[in-house]
Amino acid sequence: MLFDKTKPVVVLSWMVVLAVVLANVSVAYYDVDLIPGQHYPASEMKDVHALVRKYMRYSTAASSFVELDKGWRSCGLACNSPDVDDVMLNLTWRMDLPLSDGFIAVHPRDKEIVVAWAGTHRYRALLTDLAVFPRPYIAGTSMGVHSGFYDSVQGMNDRVGERLERLMVDHPDYMVIFTGHSKGGAEAALSALDLVRSIQGLRQRVRVWTFGEPRLGDAQFANFYNRQLGSVTYRVTSAADPVVAMPPRFLFEYCHHNQEIWLMNARGDVYVAQNNTECTEDPRASISIDFYDRSIMWHKNYLGLPPPDHAEAVFSW
Ligand SMILES: *[C@@H]1O[C@H](CO)[C@@H](O)[C@H](O)[C@H]1NC(C)=O
Ligand SMILES: *[C@@H]1O[C@H](CO)[C@@H](O)[C@H](O)[C@H]1NC(C)=O
């Protein structure tokens, strides 16, 4: 008798516990509230670190040949986290000419549609990275963009855009996150820039999170990017990552776009770069590290996630 009476109470208290746990897990956020030019100790950066880890998981998944037929968990270790356990893949691609890989997924708990582009996880992708000769971003203008990344994105972006438009209609209250690591970061930024210009309403819902992104174009291109997306882009750089210093600035005057969030060390202290205008990168951010003091180890370490599964290239940039 006593048991029967307490049962609802027990159930109720468990529901309360569960609600509290769920409420904590499912904080849907996608922005960081940081002031350019400021340093932040790692201890104040818990939310920022959580976002870095979450979006890095998607970026790593894209570089792990995740496949629609096999489901989200085919990504391997990176998908094995409560942060991303209810993700539903909607489209995956693996293109050869021009080369690009990636996916679109829906994350109902965080109300996010994610477009992720893969890094250099195939040997042939090195050809994309090496195609540094700039081409005009828009015909008839002198804005220069990295040809390799440009071609990769052009090969797939119409299909990405079509699917994204449908998803945005079906999920009107979801944010749209473009993300990628390394080459994938450059492609994510470029893909977002193309699509905000063609998809109505995307500009109000988009965020771009890139990790270890190489330089993408020249000063005119960077300015154009900054006007369109600079204020909703987080270009995360890690300590002494050499890839973010490539291609070098002296080569075709390559520049970075805004807004750099520099993880200064393995602990995750943060420096938020001042806006980059006219190709002046904030000298107190990642550019302060001498090129010869950089190490590829930092390119793989964005707060220490597992490396991609099934990548072909031993280095998987
Ligand atoms: C992908 O999204 C579209 C638009 O919401 C939907 O119609 C389609 O069924 C989804 N496909 C998969 C495999 O989830
Ligand atoms: C430049 O920085 C200010 C804050 O200092 C911000 O409001 C503005 O959106 C930034 N511009 C771009 C293009 O990121």
Side-chain angles (χ1 to χ4, degrees):
M1 205 55 200
L2 181 70
F3 182 76
D4 279 347
K5 266 189 195 152
T6 52
K7 209 169 173 185
V9 177
V10 173
V11 170
L12 202 67
S13 20
W14 272 110
M15 281 170 70
V16 170
V17 169
L18 198 67
V20 169
V21 169
L22 283 178
N24 278 328
V25 171
S26 67
V27 195
Y29 56 95
Y30 37 79
D31 268 331
V32 300
D33 188 15
L34 301 174
I35 301 163
Q38 296 271 350
H39 287 96
Y40 294 88
S43 57
E44 288 174 20
M45 292 289 94
K46 296 252 168 3
D47 288 356
V48 174
H49 291 177
L51 288 175
V52 166
R53 292 202 170 93
K54 178 168 79 167
Y55 297 131
M56 254 311 277
R57 286 189 187 281
Y58 290 110
S59 302
T60 307
S63 297
S64 305
F65 299 114
V66 65
E67 278 179 68
L68 190 59
D69 297 346
K70 295 186 183 158
W72 171 240
R73 289 300 172 114
S74 62
C75 140
L77 284 176
C79 316
N80 200 354
S81 155
D83 287 354
V84 290
D85 57 6
D86 62 342
V87 169
M88 293 181 302
L89 287 171
N90 188 275
L91 177 74
T92 57
W93 68 90
R94 180 173 180 171
M95 305 284 285
D96 280 323
L97 268 175
L99 184 146
S100 83
D101 308 74
F103 67 81
I104 304 182
V106 177
H107 191 191
R109 196 183 54 210
D110 286 358
K111 290 194 172 3
E112 290 176 342
I113 300 166
V114 178
V115 181
W117 293 77
T120 309
H121 61 320
R122 296 204 244 163
Y123 292 111
R124 279 175 55 193
L126 281 170
L127 297 176
T128 304
D129 298 341
L130 291 174
V132 294
F133 197 79
R135 53 153 295 141
Y137 176 58
I138 297 172
T141 68
S142 53
M143 274 184 256
V145 66
H146 187 290
S147 315
F149 302 144
Y150 180 89
D151 289 341
S152 286
V153 169
Q154 287 309 306
M156 190 61 204
N157 223 23
D158 285 350
R159 279 177 61 201
V160 170
E162 255 167 48
R163 185 60 64 92
L164 184 57
E165 259 186 297
R166 277 169 53 201
L167 282 163
M168 285 170 62
V169 170
D170 289 350
H171 306 279
D173 55 339
Y174 283 28
M175 293 297 290
V176 180
I177 312 289
F178 284 78
T179 192
H181 174 253
S182 193
K183 158 183 161 289
E187 290 173 1
L190 207 45
S191 164
L193 182 61
D194 280 347
L195 295 177
V196 281
R197 291 161 52 237
S198 60
I199 300 180
Q200 261 220 311
L202 178 57
R203 177 64 185 75
Q204 292 75 36
R205 296 164 64 173
V206 75
R207 295 293 182 273
V208 182
W209 278 84
T210 75
F211 306 93
E213 180 189 338
R215 295 192 180 95
L216 187 48
D218 63 13
Q220 280 198 52
F221 174 81
N223 287 340
F224 182 74
Y225 184 97
N226 289 343
R227 279 198 302 277
Q228 302 277 337
L229 287 172
S231 58
V232 289
T233 297
Y234 303 100
R235 184 171 57 76
V236 183
T237 58
S238 170
D241 181 345
V243 173
V244 305
M246 294 192 303
R249 295 210 287 188
F250 61 78
L251 195 69
F252 308 114
E253 296 170 339
Y254 268 98
C255 289
H256 265 310
H257 60 74
N258 291 338
Q259 175 161 21
E260 181 184 357
I261 308 285
W262 185 35
L263 301 169
M264 302 174 66
N265 45 41
R267 221 172 29 242
D269 293 333
V270 165
Y271 175 73
V272 184
Q274 303 270 21
N275 282 358
N276 187 6
T277 53
E278 306 300 333
C279 217
T280 52
E281 286 170 37
D282 185 333
R284 284 174 299 171
S286 72
I287 193 134
S288 62
I289 308 283
D290 193 273
F291 196 82
Y292 299 99
D293 292 335
R294 291 172 184 265
S295 155
I296 199 73
M297 172 198 105
W298 286 110
H299 186 54
K300 296 175 171 201
N301 185 358
Y302 278 73
L303 300 180
L305 282 179
D309 277 15
H310 338 293
E312 219 175 70
V314 278
F315 37 79
S316 66
W317 289 2

